[in-house]
Amino acid sequence: MNIITKNIINHGHYIHYVDTKNESDDALIPLLICPGLSETTEEYVDLLINILPRRGIVLSFRGRGQSGTPLDGYDLGQHVTDIVSVVDDAGITRFHILGNSRGVSYALGYARSNTNKVASLILIDYPLEHKAMSEDWADDYIHNYLVPCNRIDNIRPAAVRGIQKESTQESLQFHYEEPVLVIRGLLEGSLVSNHELEKYKNSFMNIEIEEFQKSGHDIRVTERALLYKKIIDFID
Protein backbone atom coordinates (compact mmCIF):
# COMPACT_ATOMS: atom_id res chain seq x y z
CA MET A 1 0.00 0.00 0.00
CA ASN A 2 1.30 3.44 -0.96
CA ILE A 3 0.91 5.35 2.32
CA ILE A 4 2.60 8.75 2.48
CA THR A 5 4.69 9.43 5.59
CA LYS A 6 5.95 12.95 6.21
CA ASN A 7 7.87 14.99 8.76
CA ILE A 8 7.04 18.68 8.55
CA ILE A 9 8.34 21.63 10.55
CA ASN A 10 6.04 23.44 12.96
CA HIS A 11 7.73 26.32 14.79
CA GLY A 12 11.11 24.63 14.73
CA HIS A 13 10.20 21.02 15.54
CA TYR A 14 9.11 18.05 13.46
CA ILE A 15 5.52 16.84 13.27
CA HIS A 16 5.11 13.37 11.81
CA TYR A 17 1.98 12.31 9.95
CA VAL A 18 0.80 9.63 7.56
CA ASP A 19 -1.65 10.06 4.69
CA THR A 20 -3.48 7.67 2.35
CA LYS A 21 -3.96 10.30 -0.36
CA ASN A 22 -2.47 8.08 -3.08
CA GLU A 23 -4.97 5.30 -2.31
CA SER A 24 -8.10 7.41 -1.89
CA ASP A 25 -11.14 8.69 -3.74
CA ASP A 26 -11.08 12.49 -4.02
CA ALA A 27 -14.89 12.59 -4.06
CA LEU A 28 -15.02 11.50 -0.40
CA ILE A 29 -14.39 13.96 2.45
CA PRO A 30 -11.14 12.99 4.26
CA LEU A 31 -10.85 12.00 7.92
CA LEU A 32 -8.21 13.62 10.15
CA ILE A 33 -7.33 11.70 13.32
CA CYS A 34 -6.06 13.23 16.58
CA PRO A 35 -4.69 10.38 18.73
CA GLY A 36 -4.88 10.12 22.50
CA LEU A 37 -2.28 11.32 24.98
CA SER A 38 0.39 8.65 24.41
CA GLU A 39 -0.79 7.40 21.03
CA THR A 40 1.09 7.71 17.74
CA THR A 41 0.38 7.64 14.02
CA GLU A 42 1.41 4.00 13.76
CA GLU A 43 -1.42 2.90 16.05
CA TYR A 44 -4.06 4.22 13.64
CA VAL A 45 -2.83 2.85 10.32
CA ASP A 46 -5.36 0.02 10.62
CA LEU A 47 -8.20 2.58 10.85
CA LEU A 48 -6.83 4.41 7.81
CA ILE A 49 -6.95 1.12 5.90
CA ASN A 50 -10.48 0.37 7.13
CA ILE A 51 -11.89 3.68 5.89
CA LEU A 52 -10.44 3.38 2.36
CA PRO A 53 -11.21 4.56 -0.27
CA ARG A 54 -11.81 7.60 1.96
CA ARG A 55 -8.60 9.54 2.51
CA GLY A 56 -7.25 9.36 6.05
CA ILE A 57 -4.59 11.41 7.82
CA VAL A 58 -3.22 10.86 11.33
CA LEU A 59 -0.53 12.81 13.17
CA SER A 60 1.70 12.27 16.14
CA PHE A 61 1.49 15.33 18.35
CA ARG A 62 4.64 16.98 19.69
CA GLY A 63 6.63 14.77 22.02
CA ARG A 64 5.04 11.59 20.64
CA GLY A 65 6.16 8.93 18.21
CA GLN A 66 8.39 10.26 15.44
CA SER A 67 7.51 13.90 16.10
CA GLY A 68 9.97 16.25 17.75
CA THR A 69 10.09 17.06 21.45
CA PRO A 70 10.38 20.79 22.12
CA LEU A 71 11.51 22.00 25.53
CA ASP A 72 8.20 23.83 26.02
CA GLY A 73 4.98 24.60 24.16
CA TYR A 74 2.62 21.91 25.46
CA ASP A 75 -0.51 23.95 26.11
CA LEU A 76 -3.75 23.53 24.18
CA GLY A 77 -2.96 26.25 21.67
CA GLN A 78 0.43 24.79 20.76
CA HIS A 79 -1.09 21.34 20.20
CA VAL A 80 -3.66 22.96 17.92
CA THR A 81 -0.83 24.42 15.83
CA ASP A 82 0.35 20.84 15.22
CA ILE A 83 -3.03 20.15 13.60
CA VAL A 84 -2.88 23.39 11.63
CA SER A 85 0.56 22.50 10.25
CA VAL A 86 -0.65 19.08 9.06
CA VAL A 87 -3.86 20.45 7.55
CA ASP A 88 -1.89 23.09 5.65
CA ASP A 89 0.76 20.66 4.42
CA ALA A 90 -1.81 18.04 3.37
CA GLY A 91 -3.81 20.67 1.51
CA ILE A 92 -7.20 19.61 2.87
CA THR A 93 -9.88 22.28 3.08
CA ARG A 94 -12.83 20.32 4.49
CA PHE A 95 -12.65 17.14 6.51
CA HIS A 96 -14.09 15.06 9.31
CA ILE A 97 -12.03 15.17 12.49
CA LEU A 98 -11.75 12.39 15.06
CA GLY A 99 -10.29 12.79 18.53
CA ASN A 100 -9.61 9.97 20.96
CA SER A 101 -9.21 10.61 24.69
CA ARG A 102 -6.97 13.68 25.22
CA GLY A 103 -7.00 14.09 21.44
CA VAL A 104 -10.64 15.18 21.82
CA SER A 105 -9.58 18.45 23.45
CA TYR A 106 -7.04 19.11 20.69
CA ALA A 107 -9.65 18.33 18.02
CA LEU A 108 -12.20 20.62 19.70
CA GLY A 109 -9.57 23.33 20.15
CA TYR A 110 -8.97 23.25 16.41
CA ALA A 111 -12.63 22.94 15.40
CA ARG A 112 -13.90 25.93 17.40
CA SER A 113 -11.64 28.23 15.36
CA ASN A 114 -12.14 26.43 12.05
CA THR A 115 -15.80 25.44 11.93
CA ASN A 116 -15.95 26.08 8.18
CA LYS A 117 -13.39 23.36 7.54
CA VAL A 118 -14.80 20.65 9.82
CA ALA A 119 -17.52 18.52 8.22
CA SER A 120 -18.21 16.57 11.41
CA LEU A 121 -16.70 15.70 14.79
CA ILE A 122 -16.13 12.22 16.22
CA LEU A 123 -15.24 12.45 19.92
CA ILE A 124 -14.20 9.32 21.79
CA ASP A 125 -14.56 9.11 25.58
CA TYR A 126 -13.41 12.51 26.83
CA PRO A 127 -15.27 15.44 28.41
CA LEU A 128 -16.07 18.68 26.62
CA GLU A 129 -13.05 20.43 28.11
CA HIS A 130 -9.29 20.75 28.24
CA LYS A 131 -8.17 19.37 31.58
CA ALA A 132 -5.59 20.83 33.93
CA MET A 133 -3.34 18.05 35.18
CA SER A 134 -2.39 17.90 38.87
CA GLU A 135 1.23 18.29 40.03
CA ASP A 136 1.57 14.60 40.89
CA TRP A 137 -0.03 13.40 37.64
CA ALA A 138 3.14 13.35 35.52
CA ASP A 139 5.17 11.05 37.79
CA ASP A 140 2.19 8.77 38.32
CA TYR A 141 1.49 8.57 34.56
CA ILE A 142 5.11 7.83 33.70
CA HIS A 143 5.87 5.29 36.41
CA ASN A 144 2.50 3.58 36.78
CA TYR A 145 1.36 3.54 33.16
CA LEU A 146 4.00 4.30 30.54
CA VAL A 147 6.80 2.20 32.04
CA PRO A 148 4.83 -0.93 33.03
CA CYS A 149 2.81 -0.83 29.79
CA ASN A 150 5.97 -0.39 27.69
CA ARG A 151 4.75 2.90 26.19
CA ILE A 152 7.70 5.09 27.22
CA ASP A 153 8.76 5.37 23.56
CA ASN A 154 5.30 6.61 22.54
CA ILE A 155 5.54 9.83 24.54
CA ARG A 156 8.70 11.24 26.02
CA PRO A 157 8.75 12.02 29.78
CA ALA A 158 9.71 15.61 28.89
CA ALA A 159 6.45 15.91 26.98
CA VAL A 160 4.44 14.46 29.86
CA ARG A 161 5.98 16.96 32.26
CA GLY A 162 5.44 19.79 29.78
CA ILE A 163 1.77 18.86 29.39
CA GLN A 164 1.33 18.84 33.17
CA LYS A 165 3.14 22.14 33.68
CA GLU A 166 1.34 24.03 30.91
CA SER A 167 -2.13 22.50 31.12
CA THR A 168 -5.02 24.77 32.09
CA GLN A 169 -8.66 24.00 32.77
CA GLU A 170 -10.84 25.26 29.94
CA SER A 171 -14.37 24.59 28.69
CA LEU A 172 -14.49 23.76 24.99
CA GLN A 173 -18.12 24.57 24.32
CA PHE A 174 -18.75 26.46 21.09
CA HIS A 175 -21.42 26.91 18.44
CA TYR A 176 -21.30 24.15 15.84
CA GLU A 177 -24.15 22.98 13.61
CA GLU A 178 -22.56 20.07 11.74
CA PRO A 179 -22.98 16.42 12.90
CA VAL A 180 -21.24 15.35 16.11
CA LEU A 181 -20.73 11.74 17.21
CA VAL A 182 -19.94 11.29 20.91
CA ILE A 183 -18.71 7.84 21.90
CA ARG A 184 -18.31 6.62 25.46
CA GLY A 185 -17.78 3.42 27.38
CA LEU A 186 -20.28 2.37 30.03
CA LEU A 187 -17.90 0.49 32.33
CA GLU A 188 -15.65 1.82 35.08
CA GLY A 189 -12.86 3.98 33.70
CA SER A 190 -14.92 5.88 31.13
CA LEU A 191 -14.19 9.61 31.23
CA VAL A 192 -17.65 10.66 30.05
CA SER A 193 -20.07 10.51 32.96
CA ASN A 194 -23.80 11.08 32.59
CA HIS A 195 -23.20 14.67 33.70
CA GLU A 196 -20.51 15.18 31.06
CA LEU A 197 -22.75 13.61 28.43
CA GLU A 198 -25.46 16.16 29.24
CA LYS A 199 -22.96 18.94 28.55
CA TYR A 200 -22.44 17.50 25.08
CA LYS A 201 -26.18 17.23 24.49
CA ASN A 202 -26.73 20.83 25.62
CA SER A 203 -23.89 22.13 23.44
CA PHE A 204 -24.43 20.40 20.11
CA MET A 205 -27.87 20.14 18.52
CA ASN A 206 -26.89 17.74 15.73
CA ILE A 207 -25.53 15.01 17.98
CA GLU A 208 -25.45 11.22 18.00
CA ILE A 209 -24.45 9.13 21.02
CA GLU A 210 -22.88 5.67 20.84
CA GLU A 211 -22.36 3.75 24.08
CA PHE A 212 -20.12 0.70 24.36
CA GLN A 213 -21.39 -1.85 26.85
CA LYS A 214 -18.14 -3.82 27.23
CA SER A 215 -15.75 -0.89 27.52
CA GLY A 216 -14.46 1.66 29.97
CA HIS A 217 -12.12 4.26 28.52
CA ASP A 218 -9.99 2.27 26.09
CA ILE A 219 -12.68 1.38 23.56
CA ARG A 220 -10.10 1.06 20.79
CA VAL A 221 -8.69 -1.97 22.60
CA THR A 222 -11.78 -3.65 24.01
CA GLU A 223 -14.25 -3.20 21.12
CA ARG A 224 -12.13 -2.06 18.18
CA ALA A 225 -14.09 -3.73 15.38
CA LEU A 226 -17.41 -2.30 16.56
CA LEU A 227 -15.85 1.12 17.13
CA TYR A 228 -14.47 1.24 13.61
CA LYS A 229 -17.83 0.18 12.19
CA LYS A 230 -19.60 3.00 14.07
CA ILE A 231 -17.03 5.53 12.82
CA ILE A 232 -17.33 4.39 9.21
CA ASP A 233 -21.14 4.32 9.34
CA PHE A 234 -21.16 7.87 10.72
CA ILE A 235 -18.86 9.45 8.13
CA ASP A 236 -20.48 7.52 5.28
Side-chain angles (χ1 to χ4, degrees):
M1 179 170 290
N2 187 12
I3 295 179
I4 299 167
T5 181
K6 298 189 72 173
N7 287 291
I8 59 174
I9 299 294
N10 178 30
H11 295 91
H13 65 274
Y14 284 108
I15 294 297
H16 176 245
Y17 78 92
V18 298
D19 184 351
T20 61
K21 178 181 180 180
N22 292 342
E23 301 284 338
S24 63
D25 181 350
D26 291 341
L28 299 173
I29 298 174
L31 174 67
L32 175 70
I33 299 170
C34 298
L37 184 64
S38 69
E39 294 180 327
T40 67
T41 58
E42 291 79 8
E43 294 176 274
Y44 283 85
V45 170
D46 65 331
L47 179 53
L48 298 187
I49 293 170
N50 270 270
I51 67 170
L52 284 171
R54 186 183 302 277
R55 183 181 179 184
I57 298 166
V58 57
L59 73 150
S60 287
F61 286 101
R62 58 189 59 212
R64 286 84 149 180
Q66 298 181 49
S67 292
T69 308
L71 296 176
D72 54 22
Y74 290 96
D75 63 9
L76 174 60
Q78 293 297 328
H79 279 88
V80 169
T81 70
D82 292 345
I83 301 174
V84 171
S85 67
V86 170
V87 168
D88 289 348
D89 189 76
I92 53 176
T93 57
R94 186 163 174 78
F95 49 92
H96 307 284
I97 187 166
L98 179 153
N100 181 48
S101 189
R102 184 76 165 186
V104 167
S105 65
Y106 305 147
L108 289 169
Y110 175 86
R112 67 178 175 178
S113 299
N114 298 274
T115 54
N116 61 313
K117 295 183 179 181
V118 180
S120 75
L121 287 165
I122 302 166
L123 310 172
I124 304 175
D125 209 73
Y126 205 77
L128 186 57
E129 64 186 18
H130 185 63
K131 288 186 175 185
M133 313 307 278
S134 64
E135 289 187 9
D136 59 354
W137 168 80
D139 283 338
D140 178 69
Y141 189 74
I142 292 167
H143 298 297
N144 295 322
Y145 175 64
L146 295 182
V147 172
C149 294
N150 197 31
R151 296 185 65 81
I152 201 72
D153 291 332
N154 287 48
I155 181 169
R156 265 70 74 191
V160 176
R161 299 189 191 285
I163 289 167
Q164 183 278 314
K165 182 179 179 181
E166 299 183 40
S167 64
T168 55
Q169 191 71 30
E170 182 178 350
S171 171
L172 291 173
Q173 294 176 296
F174 62 98
H175 180 72
Y176 183 70
E177 296 181 349
E178 302 294 341
V180 176
L181 174 62
V182 174
I183 295 170
R184 69 165 180 164
L186 292 180
L187 299 183
E188 183 178 357
S190 172
L191 298 184
V192 180
S193 65
N194 290 338
H195 176 67
E196 297 296 342
L197 188 62
E198 287 303 312
K199 289 183 182 179
Y200 273 115
K201 291 178 180 178
N202 292 333
S203 299
F204 300 124
M205 300 302 295
N206 193 359
I207 188 171
E208 295 182 28
I209 310 294
E210 290 287 352
E211 298 177 323
F212 284 70
Q213 304 284 337
K214 301 177 182 178
S215 299
H217 179 59
D218 203 353
I219 301 169
R220 232 173 42 82
V221 172
T222 50
E223 296 184 85
R224 181 177 302 216
L226 180 58
L227 174 65
Y228 286 5
K229 182 181 184 304
K230 295 296 185 182
I231 291 168
I232 292 167
D233 288 348
F234 179 74
I235 58 178
D236 280 348

